[in-house]
Amino acid sequence: QVGKVGKDKFNCTGGKLEAGETFEQGVARETMEETGLKIVQTMPKGFLNFAWPQINIQNMVFLTTEWEGEPIEGTEEAKVLWVPRSKIPFDKMFNTDRVWMPQVFEQPFFYHHIDGQMKGNDIENTIDLSLKYKDVNEFKKSLVGRQFFRTK
């Protein structure tokens, strides 16, 4: 459960990269900090581009398939909830998460663009675009010459 922004919303582990970190190192560190679990196996599954008036945020999305350790109950940032995939509480997530998160399990790799803004305790999106790729390499090739932009 998210602590500051989106209080009482469910979400995945995540955070910002530290200087010099790769995406894989960042996801391993954030997962350890937020859950107490050491990632053994992970795979890139998607790229999120949030274009908001106040900030642009880009996220790599990973699926962890193998880990070590025992999960902690949470941190001051968030409580941790462990549920089977079939019981993920999509109805208690940001409305944009309900769209892209199922793709983690259904697509080899995806790109998701959200053009919107925070409104109250949720995200009001004006454009919600999803593209599907056969793998992360096909996605990387598609980035040549692409600019990330706001549509307004």
Side-chain angles (χ1 to χ4, degrees), residues 96-110:
T96 52
D97 294 349
R98 296 176 207 143
V99 177
W100 69 259
M101 197 174 295
Q103 294 183 63
V104 172
F105 308 110
E106 298 165 2
Q107 302 300 328
F109 194 88
F110 67 91

Side-chain angles (χ1 to χ4, degrees), residues 14-150:
K16 296 177 183 173
L17 291 177
E18 293 183 353
E21 255 183 344
T22 65
F23 284 119
E24 291 80 1
Q25 291 167 333
V27 75
R29 178 184 50 76
E30 288 287 350
T31 301
M32 174 60 83
E33 289 173 4
E34 295 178 18
T35 69
L37 298 174
K38 178 183 176 188
I39 291 178
V40 175
Q41 179 75 28
T42 191
M43 67 182 93
K45 293 294 290 185
F47 185 86
L48 302 173
N49 185 47
F50 293 94
W52 297 345
Q54 59 275 56
I55 193 168
N56 257 19
I57 302 170
Q58 288 84 36
N59 293 321
M60 280 293 292
V61 178
F62 291 86
L63 177 64
T64 301
T65 56
E66 190 177 334
W67 60 87
E68 295 174 348
E70 293 297 319
I72 61 176
E73 289 186 21
T75 66
E76 63 183 55
E77 286 184 10
K79 296 176 188 171
V80 178
L81 175 69
W82 299 98
V83 297
R85 187 183 306 172
S86 63
K87 303 261 189 225
I88 294 174
F90 290 111
D91 62 322
K92 295 179 181 169
M93 296 179 155
F94 290 111
N95 61 19
T96 52
D97 294 349
R98 296 176 207 143
V99 177
W100 69 259
M101 197 174 295
Q103 294 183 63
V104 172
F105 308 110
E106 298 165 2
Q107 302 300 328
F109 194 88
F110 67 91
Y111 166 82
H112 195 82
H113 176 92
I114 299 99
D115 191 352
Q117 61 187 348
M118 288 300 297
K119 186 171 184 178
N121 199 31
D122 213 332
I123 298 169
E124 180 181 79
N125 49 314
T126 53
I127 294 178
D128 209 338
L129 168 71
S130 286
L131 302 173
K132 299 169 178 88
Y133 297 90
K134 67 179 179 180
D135 59 28
V136 69
N137 293 322
E138 183 183 44
F139 169 70
K140 287 178 183 177
K141 288 178 190 173
S142 79
L143 293 178
V144 175
R146 179 183 283 177
Q147 289 183 324
F148 293 101
F149 61 93
R150 284 202 43 79

